[in-house]
Amino acid sequence: MKKIFILLLMAIFISNVVSAIRISPDSIRIEFVPNFEKSYDFNTERAENVGIAIEGDLAKYVSVEKNDIAKDGTFVIKVKLPAEIETPGKNLIFIGITEGGKGGGMVSGTASIRTPIDIRVPYPGIYAEIAFNVHDLNINETANFAVTVNNLGKKDIGSAKAVIDVIDNDRRLVEKLVTEEKEVIVNAKETLEVFFNASKHTAGTYNAFAHVTYADRLQDLESIFKIGTLNIEITNYTKVFFKDKIAKFDIEIESGWNSKIGNVFAEVEVFNNTREISSFKTVSISLGPWEKKKISTLWDNEGLGEGSYYVEINLLYEGKTTKVAGKIEIIEPKEEIWFKKYFNITNLLITAVVLLLIITNIIVLFKKRKK
């Protein structure tokens, strides 16, 4: 037991030491050029017996040029790349600090903290990463639709543009947008933009299809966006209540607006035929863009008989009202089922104690027989 306690203390101490070490910079990106060569200064905590780990498929092109961690917490890494690398795209090398290392060279083992060096090697010929971004907006707003073209190939892209088809829920083409046209040189990223005016369209969900042409290639991308209107729907409410009880009246609501709506509350009226017999109001809440929420209040229906009642719910917000009318039911409380009657906390505790005594007695008897 004492050994286990000492080992736990040592583990806590080591983890605290490791977590205390920091390293900067936190990342480095290198755009590959043949025979690239450069040194990078690193900073960490001054410490004895700390090693530098270099890991990754291209680790052979990285070396420790200087190690002064024990002196002032600094070291220098040198990157010297060949004339050609056969693996295009992202190539990661990790520079890390390890506990218990010696000297200034490469140390085996997993580093406690690491800085990634991202070496981006161009793809042969024409190669681009394309992204398409659209944003939700409200019916009286405009939004910027953007196609980004990231040239990761070895050749410039002389011309890139996009045609964007906007499709509504009925699969109809409602608008066609054409972005600006741009040249994208090697290792560069360009954004092709066009503005979309939502005031020309109704609220709802839309699909946007971007047909991107660059060099002699075509790529299609799809995105979904919503046009919001200042409206909150009442999607559900509590419809059944027990007679002569104080119960929670829940109202489920959903925003159709792409902005925050504050001071949202409901006024509820209950009628017996045409006579109002009860009215109450919920607390005020706020709704985020497109948010679904439940607002609640307590309703005391004492004195009301069983049966169906007519209810009107008026949801008020931003000078607008959403109205829902329907029915609610007041019913007699059902008899509690047997396990709710008998399986209360007291009975459960008594049962547990009895079972424990029985098990204890069985164990004692078993041991006596065995002897």
Side-chain angles (χ1 to χ4, degrees):
M1 191 71 185
K2 187 176 179 182
K3 286 182 179 179
I4 295 171
F5 180 71
I6 292 169
L7 286 171
L8 283 171
L9 285 176
M10 287 175 67
I12 293 167
F13 174 75
I14 291 169
S15 65
N16 287 335
V17 170
V18 169
S19 62
I21 297 175
R22 301 289 181 267
I23 185 172
S24 64
D26 56 7
S27 65
I28 296 171
R29 177 166 170 168
I30 299 171
E31 300 295 344
F32 174 79
V33 292
N35 303 311
F36 175 90
E37 188 173 337
K38 187 175 179 179
S39 296
Y40 295 90
D41 295 327
F42 282 76
N43 291 281
T44 184
E45 307 295 331
R46 185 172 68 85
E48 299 285 345
N49 201 28
V50 171
I52 302 168
I54 302 172
E55 302 164 313
D57 292 338
L58 303 181
K60 61 184 177 181
Y61 301 121
V62 181
S63 61
V64 178
E65 196 170 56
K66 187 179 180 182
N67 183 359
D68 285 332
I69 295 176
K71 180 182 175 183
D72 56 14
T74 65
F75 62 98
V76 179
I77 291 295
K78 186 173 183 179
V79 179
K80 187 176 181 181
L81 300 179
E84 186 177 355
I85 294 177
E86 294 180 354
T87 52
K90 180 186 284 190
N91 291 267
L92 289 176
I93 301 170
F94 294 97
I95 309 300
I97 301 297
T98 57
E99 297 293 328
K102 295 181 180 179
M106 188 162 65
V107 177
S108 61
T110 303
S112 57
I113 50 171
R114 302 192 299 178
T115 291
I117 298 178
D118 178 7
I119 300 173
R120 294 294 178 96
V121 180
Y123 288 81
I126 297 290
Y127 186 90
E129 284 184 354
I130 314 292
F132 179 37
N133 294 306
V134 298
H135 302 284
D136 294 336
L137 70 166
N138 291 321
I139 204 162
N140 58 350
E141 297 175 342
T142 59
N144 188 23
F145 287 6
V147 175
T148 56
V149 182
N150 188 10
N151 188 351
L152 301 178
K154 291 184 177 181
K155 292 183 179 180
D156 293 340
I157 296 172
S159 173
K161 69 176 182 179
V163 176
I164 300 170
D165 293 334
V166 180
I167 310 294
D168 67 10
N169 262 339
D170 296 322
R171 308 304 297 173
R172 296 177 303 179
L173 175 65
V174 295
E175 189 163 352
K176 188 180 286 288
L177 307 168
V178 181
T179 70
E180 55 196 326
E181 189 172 342
K182 288 185 178 180
E183 179 187 8
V184 190
I185 63 173
V186 172
N187 291 328
K189 181 190 290 186
E190 295 290 348
T191 302
L192 314 175
E193 296 178 312
V194 64
F195 285 96
F196 173 75
N197 188 351
S199 63
K200 301 177 184 178
H201 307 283
T202 58
T205 302
Y206 291 80
N207 286 69
F209 295 91
H211 311 287
V212 187
T213 56
Y214 61 100
D216 58 348
R217 306 188 181 191
L218 172 66
Q219 186 170 339
D220 293 331
L221 297 165
E222 180 184 1
S223 193
I224 298 173
F225 69 97
K226 292 186 284 188
I227 297 177
T229 185
L230 184 53
N231 180 63
I232 303 175
E233 287 188 16
I234 299 171
T235 57
N236 203 0
Y237 61 91
T238 306
K239 296 182 176 69
V240 179
F241 300 87
F242 290 127
K243 184 174 177 291
D244 294 329
K245 299 284 185 181
I246 297 175
K248 195 162 72 164
F249 196 112
D250 293 327
I251 304 169
E252 296 175 16
I253 59 177
E254 180 177 356
S255 173
W257 190 237
N258 190 44
S259 304
K260 183 179 178 181
I261 305 175
N263 194 30
V264 181
F265 65 94
E267 294 176 345
V268 182
E269 297 173 304
V270 182
F271 297 85
N272 187 1
N273 293 323
T274 58
R275 182 172 63 90
E276 182 183 312
I277 56 173
S278 180
S279 64
F280 48 93
K281 180 179 172 181
T282 70
V283 295
S284 296
I285 63 166
S286 62
L287 279 177
W290 316 105
E291 186 176 12
K292 296 178 182 179
K293 227 172 199 179
K294 187 185 289 183
I295 53 175
S296 305
T297 190
L298 295 177
W299 179 44
D300 185 358
N301 63 54
E302 186 177 2
L304 299 181
E306 288 183 81
S308 297
Y309 294 83
Y310 181 74
V311 65
E312 283 187 1
I313 303 171
N314 292 288
L315 190 71
L316 293 91
Y317 53 95
E318 301 286 344
K320 296 190 71 176
T321 303
T322 297
K323 183 176 179 178
V324 165
K327 288 184 177 181
I328 59 172
E329 297 284 334
I330 295 179
I331 62 175
E332 280 284 353
K334 292 182 179 180
E335 290 294 327
E336 290 183 313
I337 55 179
W338 67 273
F339 59 83
K340 281 190 176 179
K341 272 188 175 182
Y342 299 107
F343 278 75
N344 52 47
I345 296 296
T346 304
N347 289 342
L348 285 172
L349 288 172
I350 292 169
T351 305
V353 171
V354 171
L355 286 172
L356 185 62
L357 289 171
I358 292 169
I359 292 167
T360 304
N361 286 332
I362 291 170
I363 292 169
V364 170
L365 287 171
F366 180 77
K367 284 184 176 180
K368 285 182 177 179
R369 284 185 179 183
K370 198 172 181 181
K371 286 180 179 180

